[in-house]
Amino acid sequence: MSHNVLAFCNQKGGVGKTTTTFHIVDAARRAGHRVLALDMDPQGNLSTVLSSGGSSPGDAGIADALSGRSDATLADVVAPSIWGGVDLVATDPNSESLAFVRDELILGGAGRERRLRDALELLAPSYELVVIDCPPSLDLLTINALVAARRAVVVSQSALFSANGLARLRRTIDVVRRSYNPTLELVGAIINLHERNTVAGREQLAEIADCIAIIGDPVPKRVVLKDSAEAQTSLLDWGTTDARNLAGIYRRTSELLMEGVGSGTP
């Protein structure tokens, strides 16, 4: 795919992947880019923080566009987000619908890995950036996201268990590239929840940098990152110097992602 489709992934939960996606989307739209955000996580966390509140339980979402039992297209389930210039394909956090589709894909037969790619084919060129928030697993929902993506972006803590999980994730990306999506590029990792003043934080960051490119500056561990996302508020609107400094990190990282810096990592 020639358009800029990014899959934010890590099979481990709790690394700040959805929060990172939220703030990258904010930075991209502030730079004037039209953005489409897709929530591929059955927990629906990205939908919770980006939804404009106009949806109701039972509204059609990404599960409908991926299910073989529905006639809905991805264009049918796109909705406005809290921000102008950003559209959302949501997952209802109070519904098991996407989890059911995940199970449906297991028995889906030929083409099950391409459901999202096929659904995005006509829609993605309308946007300068498409971001996919993957579930914290290496299931068929994540595989669909990687097959649909032009670039894979790992979100990781600078922690030992996060570094150890990178090898497995890289193997999955390699399999997807060889079998389904030869143009998929592993851009590198956005480091989140970094504690640069600790020896462990610095050592584990160095370990991660040995096996994958680091995109931008590591994002320090700050409560405001999660608080502002849960409050559906841009860091620049949060009103503190710390929040504005963090917004600057995401702005620079977003610029690198739009430029494709770090792409082509083997």
Side-chain angles (χ1 to χ4, degrees):
M1 296 176 110
S2 59
H3 27 271
N4 207 359
V5 182
L6 303 179
F8 289 83
C9 52
N10 193 325
Q11 73 271 24
K12 188 187 182 304
V15 298
K17 178 173 51 58
T18 297
T19 301
T20 298
T21 306
F22 177 87
H23 292 303
I24 290 293
V25 166
D26 180 34
R29 63 103 186 179
R30 284 183 176 275
H33 301 299
R34 190 167 183 229
V35 183
L36 175 65
L38 292 87
D39 190 351
M40 285 288 281
D41 187 345
Q43 298 175 85
N45 292 329
L46 186 66
S47 301
T48 298
V49 296
L50 276 182
S51 175
S52 63
S55 59
S56 302
D59 281 358
I62 199 165
D64 299 274
L66 296 180
S67 175
R69 296 171 292 178
S70 169
D71 294 328
T73 68
L74 209 57
D76 293 332
V77 297
V78 171
S81 76
I82 56 174
W83 294 316
V86 179
D87 289 337
L88 172 68
V89 178
T91 289
D92 185 349
N94 300 310
S95 170
E96 296 294 324
S97 56
L98 189 54
F100 290 146
V101 170
R102 177 190 59 207
D103 296 340
E104 176 189 321
L105 288 169
I106 295 173
L107 304 174
R112 63 184 182 175
E113 299 88 0
R114 292 180 53 94
R115 292 269 183 94
L116 183 60
R117 183 185 182 104
D118 293 343
L120 264 177
E121 201 69 47
L122 295 177
L123 187 61
S126 300
Y127 298 88
E128 292 169 275
L129 177 64
V130 178
V131 298
I132 308 171
D133 188 23
C134 298
S137 61
L138 295 179
D139 59 18
L140 275 165
L141 294 176
T142 296
I143 298 298
N144 261 265
L146 292 173
V147 172
R150 183 65 179 84
R151 299 183 179 115
V153 180
V154 178
V155 179
S156 177
Q157 287 178 269
S158 53
L160 182 60
F161 49 80
S162 293
N164 289 344
L166 284 175
R168 185 181 174 206
L169 180 56
R170 289 190 65 141
R171 286 195 298 271
T172 299
I173 291 171
D174 287 342
V175 169
V176 169
R177 184 188 295 123
R178 289 195 306 268
S179 302
Y180 310 112
N181 184 6
T183 63
L184 178 65
E185 297 174 350
L186 175 55
V187 182
I190 296 174
I191 303 303
N192 203 26
L193 303 171
H194 180 52
E195 297 181 83
R196 65 181 180 181
N197 294 325
T198 68
V199 172
R202 292 193 296 271
E203 289 179 347
Q204 287 153 7
L205 179 64
E207 282 188 29
I208 293 172
D210 283 341
C211 64
I212 193 170
I214 305 297
I215 307 169
D217 295 327
V219 180
K221 186 177 182 179
R222 297 288 190 273
V223 174
V224 69
L225 295 171
K226 185 176 181 181
D227 285 352
S228 60
E230 291 180 348
Q232 298 184 300
T233 303
S234 169
L235 286 166
L236 285 176
D237 296 330
W238 194 254
T240 65
T241 300
D242 193 33
R244 288 192 293 273
N245 290 338
L246 292 166
I249 294 176
Y250 285 111
R251 184 188 69 251
R252 291 188 293 273
T253 301
S254 176
E255 290 169 352
L256 290 171
L257 290 173
M258 293 300 296
E259 295 167 3
V261 170
S263 64
T265 303

